[in-house]
Amino acid sequence: MYSLTALSLLLYTLGNRKAGQTYVKFQVDDAMTEAQKIWMDGKFVDWSEAKIHVLTHSLHYGLAVFEGIRCYAGPSGSAIFRLREHVNRLFDSAHIMLVAIPYTKETVCEAIIETVKVNSLDSCYIRPLVYIGYGAMGVHPGENPIRLAIAAWPWGPYLGEGALTHGIRAKVSSYARHHVNVSMTRAKVAGYYVNSILAKMESKQGGYDEAILLDPEGYVAEGTGENIFIVRNGVLQTTPLTSILEGITRNSIIQLARECDIPVVEERFTRDAMYIADEIFLTGTAAEITPVREIDNRQVGSGKPGPITQTLQTAFFRIVRGEDPAHANWITPI
Ligand code: PPE
């Protein structure tokens, strides 16, 4: 009995460690909460039946475009945040990548709303994915069919419990973000996320919550799935739209800051500007408005979410919950 356990432990260890490498394990709390139905090419299929062929083109070469959208529950029901803007970006991503989505924007918006309804979800994350299906192999996608899937499921705080209230610990990555003429980051392309995955695994293995990537010139770009803002002397600064995704949360925060008379600049900055910032926060659909309390082992400001971060967080959560009539046009009630 003892030797069997020892043997299986040895085999497990050997199987998971090669030449001193350690592999990132998924934690139990990373397991996803399943919903009932997924929209696939015009019809709903059961969650467990939402399958594709292993020779699906996108699976091999990484050309798929996608969105991440959130639906929030509020006192007067559920609503999707900036649905139209997300669907526009999905179509822009496809256009940049020469992928013709075989549906209209209206159909996609309706299918997204239906996906939330059919699953009886009051708050959820929504993932539309446009991908190149099974057909010919080889890099050129040729006449392979263009497919669309829309899934929705409950998804809690992206960067862990307490991240929104206490902030996270981030580390500048050894991996650089995309060069503007290698990856066109106005498009949200699946394959680009290999860069994010490498940075994320590196940061997790180092004991941090998130990685901040610099652009190929050494200026701050963004997180693995978030845009970044810093605050110094009352001025809010974020990186310009070069090697980053044009975040819809980023856009919302810029607009909200202006409405709150907080000066905002979109100018590049260096990593040491983060070290002496009074506040830092990340924005994204999944990450929402997540404060950064430590960067490269240096405490940010007081080490707690700062006043500008908190003001913008409060304004943002009021809007998404449908509690701010002035921004009712940002939400689509279900
Ligand atoms: N940069 C990157 C690289 C990125 O992936 C996201 C969203 C953003 C910025 C913020 O964009 P927006 O959501 O429009 O504010 N990342 C999505 C995917 C996260 C995932 O792990 O999957 C998201 O937040 O939905």
Side-chain angles (χ1 to χ4, degrees):
M1 183 65 194
Y2 171 77
S3 57
L4 248 184
T5 315
L7 180 68
S8 49
L9 188 70
L10 179 72
L11 285 175
Y12 174 84
T13 312
L14 287 176
N16 287 285
R17 286 183 74 105
K18 280 183 205 143
Q21 290 175 352
T22 48
Y23 295 96
V24 176
K25 294 275 173 346
F26 286 105
Q27 317 272 295
V28 175
D29 59 8
D30 286 337
M32 78 182 301
T33 311
E34 294 181 3
Q36 307 296 313
K37 302 273 183 193
I38 294 181
W39 191 99
M40 285 183 89
D41 306 311
K43 56 181 196 299
F44 284 106
V45 297
D46 286 344
W47 184 276
S48 57
E49 293 305 313
K51 296 173 182 166
I52 53 163
H53 197 277
V54 75
L55 294 183
T56 294
H57 195 274
S58 296
L59 187 59
H60 295 253
Y61 307 112
L63 177 53
V65 296
F66 68 99
E67 272 307 315
I69 311 172
R70 272 194 194 264
C71 173
Y72 288 90
S76 44
S78 292
I80 300 177
F81 184 61
R82 305 198 72 177
L83 173 62
R84 192 74 204 183
E85 290 84 345
H86 281 284
V87 170
N88 283 341
R89 190 172 65 184
L90 183 69
F91 278 75
D92 286 347
S93 297
H95 179 69
I96 289 170
M97 303 314 294
L98 292 170
V99 170
I101 300 179
Y103 302 98
T104 63
K105 287 183 182 177
E106 287 64 38
T107 304
V108 175
C109 283
E110 279 162 26
I112 289 170
I113 295 169
E114 276 310 302
T115 306
V116 175
K117 277 190 185 163
V118 95
N119 285 293
S120 311
L121 294 163
D122 58 353
S123 66
C124 61
Y125 183 84
I126 308 158
R127 167 57 51 81
L129 174 77
V130 176
Y131 60 100
I132 300 168
Y134 170 77
M137 287 301 276
V139 167
H140 198 275
E143 298 300 311
N144 288 19
I146 308 299
R147 305 249 181 243
L148 171 61
I150 305 166
W153 65 90
W155 207 4
Y158 184 60
L159 294 167
E161 282 311 320
L164 295 173
T165 41
H166 301 299
I168 58 148
R169 298 176 58 242
K171 178 88 178 73
V172 169
S173 183
S174 72
Y175 297 98
R177 203 63 175 147
H178 308 282
H179 182 278
V180 290
N181 209 19
V182 175
S183 305
M184 295 168 288
T185 58
R186 295 292 174 98
K188 193 168 167 65
V189 175
Y192 296 175
Y193 284 82
V194 174
N195 174 253
S196 289
I197 292 171
L198 286 170
K200 186 82 184 190
M201 292 195 297
E202 181 187 61
S203 71
K204 287 285 215 186
Q205 283 176 326
Y208 301 92
D209 303 307
E210 185 56 291
I212 305 300
L213 292 106
L214 308 179
D215 68 19
E217 285 184 87
Y219 293 90
V220 174
E222 60 181 346
T224 64
E226 312 89 5
N227 294 121
I228 185 165
F229 286 82
I230 62 172
V231 177
R232 191 167 184 224
N233 301 329
V235 178
L236 188 60
Q237 184 169 357
T238 193
T239 51
L241 296 172
T242 51
S243 55
I244 63 166
L245 183 72
E246 185 174 10
I248 290 164
T249 322
R250 174 189 181 278
N251 172 278
S252 309
I253 287 299
I254 291 172
Q255 288 194 50
L256 286 178
R258 294 202 171 119
E259 287 168 22
C260 298
D261 291 323
I262 300 165
V264 199
V265 290
E266 291 176 63
E267 281 167 22
R268 60 189 194 173
F269 53 88
T270 51
R271 67 194 284 176
D272 55 358
M274 297 193 289
Y275 300 165
I276 56 169
D278 303 321
E279 304 178 33
I280 304 179
F281 61 86
L282 304 177
T283 64
T285 300
E288 301 167 305
I289 319 296
T290 300
V292 177
R293 68 168 197 274
E294 191 191 292
I295 177 83
D296 285 354
N297 306 309
R298 290 150 177 93
Q299 177 176 301
V300 177
S302 65
K304 296 194 171 64
I308 290 184
T309 307
Q310 284 179 318
T311 301
L312 295 168
Q313 246 189 359
T314 306
F316 176 81
F317 283 111
R318 280 192 65 222
I319 294 169
V320 298
R321 289 169 45 79
E323 294 170 337
D324 179 3
H327 293 91
N329 58 336
W330 277 0
I331 60 171
T332 304
I334 292 296

